[in-house]
Amino acid sequence: MASNILYFIVFLGILVALAVPLGSYMASVFTGKRTFLSFIIRPLESGFYWICRVDESEEMSWKQYSLAFLLFNAVGFMVLFLLQIVQGRLPLNPMGFGAVRWDTALNTAISFVTNTNWQAYGGETTMSYFTQMAGLTVQNFVSAAVGIAVALPLIRAFTSKLRNTIGNFWVDMTRSVLYVLLPLSIILAVLLVSQGVVQTFNPYVKAQTLDSHGQTPVNRIAQSAERPNEYSPHGGREGKAGYPLAGGALFAEGATPIRGQAQAPVTEQVIAVGPAASQIAIKQLGSNGGGFFNANSAHPFENPTPLSNFLEMLAILLIPAALPFTFGVMVNNRRQGWAIFAAMMILFLVGLGAAFWAEWQGNPILAQSGLGNGTNMEGKEIRFGIGSSVLWGQVTTAVANGSVNAMHDSMMPLTGLVFMFNMAIGEVIFGGVGVGLIGMIMYAILTIFLAGLMIGRTPEFLGKKLEAREMIMAVIAVIAPAIASLIFSGIAVAIPTGLSSLNNPGPHGLSEILYAFFSYAGNNGSAFAGLNANTVFYNLTGGFVMLVGRFLTILPALAIAGSLAMKKSVPSSSATFPTASPLFTVLLIGVVLIVGALTFFPALILGPFLEHLLLCSGRTF
Amino acid sequence: MEKTTAKFWQSALIKTSIKGSFLRLDPRLLWHNPVMFVVEMVSIITTVISVSNLIYGGPFLFNAHITVWLWFTVLFANFAEALAEGRGKAQAETLRRAQSEAYAKRLTPDGRTETIPALSLRKDDMIVVDDNDPIPGDGEITEGVALVDESAVTGESAPVIREAKGDRTGVTGGTRVLSGHIVVRITANPGETFLDHMISMVESAKRQKTPNERALEILLVGLTVLFIVVVGTLAPFAAYASVKITLPVLIALLVCLIPTTIGGLLPAIGIAGMDRLIQRNVIALSGRAVEAAGDVNIVLLDKTGTITLGNRMATDFFAASGVKDEELIRAALLASLADETPEGRSIVALAKSRLDIHGRDIKPSSEARFVPFTPELRMSGISLDGREIRKGASDAVAKFVKESGGIMHESVSMAVDRVGREGGTPLVVADSGRALGVVYLKDVLKEGIKERLNQLRLLGIRSIMITGDNPLTAAAIAAEAGIDDFVAQARPEEKLKLIRKYQAEGNLVAMIGDGTNDAPALAQADVAVAMNAGTQASREAANMVDLDSNPTKLLDIVEIGKQILMTRGALTTFSVANDVAKYFAIIPAIFVPFFPVLGILNIMRLATPQSAILSAIIFNAIIIPLLIPLSLKGIKYRPMTAMALLGRNLVIYGIGGLILPFIGIKLIDLAIVFFRFS
Amino acid sequence: MKELVRSLLVLIAMSLLTGALYPLVVTGLAKAGFPRQAQGSLLMTGDTIIGSAIVGQNFSSLRYFRGRPSAIEKSYDAGNSGGSNFGPSNAKFLEEVGGRVETVRKDNGLERTASVPADLVLASASGLDPHISVEAATIQVKRVAKARGVPEPDVQVLVERFIEMPLFGFLGEKRINVLRLNLALDNIASQVNQSLTKGDEKR
């Protein structure tokens, strides 16, 4: 316990120590100032613009900016979709995978373009190296870069006066990749390889195992037709109709295995490898989270040591935590950056505390079965234990990352509740790179609107008046993802097609569906992976909700940027609400919590909360 | 002022308001209030369900209870709006009555007059108003002078002078000429007069929503849509848990969650704000301007009439060396005898008290000749017994002295400088070639102006004084009054430049003006208050008219503008905070029968599921009438910094809004159990 | 149209940069700096790959320390990975765990009410967890020693030698790598001092 808390403190301390300078660095990059990397990257950048026919000095209106953003995503989507369909005929496919099913390919294309990286498939059993690299890794970079880029007009709008342009999409996006994501990814990838993350183009390895005596019931979990394998924790497990019984290895209670008398001896172990480190580095840094392997960051090749675990968590939070500081520097009000950062950090800590407490309690029914104090190690790795697994869960759901180092489906109900809440409120506790800041600014607009009214003024944020247009856009950005996730969860629990994907009955089943749609809507991508989401229903509805979650937050934000940039800046006085103040931070937290609580109270009560109460009273399903 | 204030609970008003609340059930009227429109639609659904229960069986009594309270929710909200509108209209109506009964004497092109009803007057008609005639419409005097009783409009009993030419040409419909004969050019069609403007500002159907109101309404609509989805999806979630929820219960939950409190009171708050303006004799020509008043951060104030009484008063005499004080005072007195300006009279008064003579026992001899003030000479005085006594600006008098063959003594110039330094106006008195000394004229601050300017500063509003005085004088007065900044030696047309400059810096500028040459500046200012007594041009350029012609009224306007916004913000916060308690009432009520473990959510320990749901819906309904007085009066406002104000409102309406419904719902539940309603 | 062309150009350029150049650069750096790790930290005896040092293997024989239950279809087959995704209130899951607890007690000669280390009966997240807790190893010492006919203290010493401590005292949990422990066990048992693959010294 004490060492866990020490861990949390050290982790967050290092995070802040890195985020502040990174925030300033990014501010320099995005305002076109020279940085210590310019001498090498600047020529590359110029060359890039030359090749792509981008005029660096061109300024775009918010509509042009949105158009460029939408077209780039559309093109990215088409390419990624086609890559999956024709991967069988493409190179770098040592395992000879065929075309990905159309609905899976569609879902995956949307998922990676929207920075969700929900995976309805299992990586090592579906995608060729070529698809992983040319399709998925590329989108890992560009969807993250797009996320950072679209936050910039909103930031700049606060300092520009009476302008109808908000910047250049191509420049913002290119700089995000070249100056921020690429250098950090290379450093992280190499660090990860040093810890044991694989990076190779060799085919899967075959090993002669030590124990040639096959499986025993102890190591073997009963398999049945209702519970297929291939549970992808990032995204739902893949379903195969009529999955065959697993070699008759059904668990027989009380049976003691007799030495040397097991079923068909397994003496060979296939070990999946691949160019994982390069993808994992960007998947963490860019809030992507889509794993190279099915088990995601629980896989020993993705996350081999406690140190790699520490580094990856840091990588997940780094850019989202630095962006509020970038905001502060770019609007010439560092305290404002801190005020927003503080709101995010406090929400983060509250969630972490609650989740850690809930998980630490253990499972009372397991305790009765003779497991010490019921420590819930189901779906967790020994090298991470309870503390790092909960911290990762909190990090990955607060940031719209979605990679996991433990199976969230198997966590205690209230832990799951915290994780769901993090996603449901729209991924604003740090949130996805760029879009998390956008989301928090949308909440800030609502907060300032109410606060402004209460002090008797037309609300203004950093000197810009917030009027009807801003309200429409902020309200859309805040409620559209929530509405989409609730409506489709409601449909999923009401129809047999939706329910047939469940892995767990009872309230936990509701949690699985809610978690999935909150994850889609928040562009998170993590899952209560028991849910078999690789069905036409979930692939299509999920794809739609991911689009809503992405575009109905970004487009309103760009519209707000457009209208704010055109406004005059009102000088502040003692009568204006100081938004760079602790009171603002407290209010912002209050608004996020109240809006979230009021919206998701009934659903979360019926799902995780009810499961918790019933579990405590000894009821199982 | 008292008589124009409609009594809060006037029975006639209540009656019409109750009638109005039913008339407003018309969906076409309710459409403009989306939150209440939703409540009405679901009320219709529960009504149908209840009726079918009655026919086909079902939990009729419970559903009927819900239905009744849902309808009450709508009616209460309608009542609030009707009441606010009724009060505003009542005030306007008393003024309008005077107008509608009036007749007008219109000048025909051939010079005769004809009598027509005031309401058939048209713009640019010329009318004649004589002694004791009511003025039939708003207009501008083109000929003549009159003493006008404006008490019907302003509540001010002292009559005022209105005359053609100059800055006091405007007359308002509903006032009365006490004496005088004037020709008035009508400037507005009946129906477009200020009174009509005023009435349309409080009439909900015609009222234009202000920008902030629209923004807030967007938020409310957003919340409503969100809660429709939340409640709508609760049904399948519950069905998954094998819990069936009846439609009326879902509807009850929906109505409890959507922001009915603020939604119901929102129109009333806006209308009541206008009512309050009217009570203070300010007519706003747009709601936008009233709201903008709350945002103003620069106020341009004319020195004269706003900061100072407008009349400089003689406060001292400084004799030149070698001149006796008495000689100076006597000369000053003589020079001012015929001077009917306030300054002149104040010199006479001071001189008399210094010389210890009372009454009008000083009479100049008959051959005395008064020299009136002319802009060319910039002196006035008297010539008698061969003496040429003059008083005036120092340079003008110096010239006169020189021409008369004398010189200004050095001590006079020193006295002039000294008075100027202190912010006073020096008047030099000379007798032919001798400069006798200086009269110290001083601007006297209006009572209470300092405190009000202080309040402005607390509101974050900078006050800028505009004066034609020299910088020295201006600085002295600014310091004395506590003005933030001043512009000295300003000509009227510079106001426009000044406003543009401040606006370019992002400021919202308010100004008060009355002169014709103020019109461009008024048109440019964000909040422009014209004096009712001012010229027609200024009134047309402004977006508010102060019937009292009291320049410090601007502060009241700012206050009301802020109060409207604050009331909206506070009630929105209150409304949303209320939802927490309602969840804790209704969610356990729905689910505890199926999952007793959820009983821990019933933290209010409400008696039964039915009583819990009813308590919540009843609380939700009656909180609206309980808050009507607050929304009509506006929440309490004191000038303080934004932080303090926000903190205070958050505690009262945020924290209070969280806690109060827990208590209220529990009490209603106790009452329900006690009376066995369910 | 102009933007559409740009979109395509930018995507192509980005694909080359981040989809080809970047992984190749990382692969090159990995090969230069950490060739063993980049290949999967493979363990060899002679030319035979016997597994990866950081991927768990299936041990069912009584002679070996057993790892955690694996939820992969073919237990510990690292061609795939994943957890059980059972929720904490899933009756089937709880029943299965109850059965595993019984088995562990029976196999290791524990009392019927003895408490069992949670990790030994609960499936890992990856299905490839290479580690078990120290407690989980300790309760297997007696059984392994008996099955191999070696003295219990020898096995106990070996277990203690293979405890990996948290980095800096707080990064990670105390744990034992099952494959490494079992490899060492085989080395003792056969009295053949086969040295472990290079780089596989105890940490």
Side-chain angles (χ1 to χ4, degrees), chain B residues 585-606:
Chain B
I586 295 184
I587 292 291
I590 295 174
F591 293 107
V592 166
F594 302 88
F595 300 105
V597 284
L598 283 175
I600 62 162
L601 290 179
N602 184 8
I603 52 181
M604 284 174 275
R605 301 274 143 233
L606 304 178

Side-chain angles (χ1 to χ4, degrees), chain A residues 387-412:
Chain A
S388 296
S389 298
V390 171
L391 178 59
W392 185 296
Q394 174 68 10
V395 167
T396 198
T397 50
V399 175
N401 183 283
S403 64
V404 295
N405 75 348
M407 297 300 125
H408 291 184
D409 211 350
S410 300
M411 289 207 176
M412 297 308 294

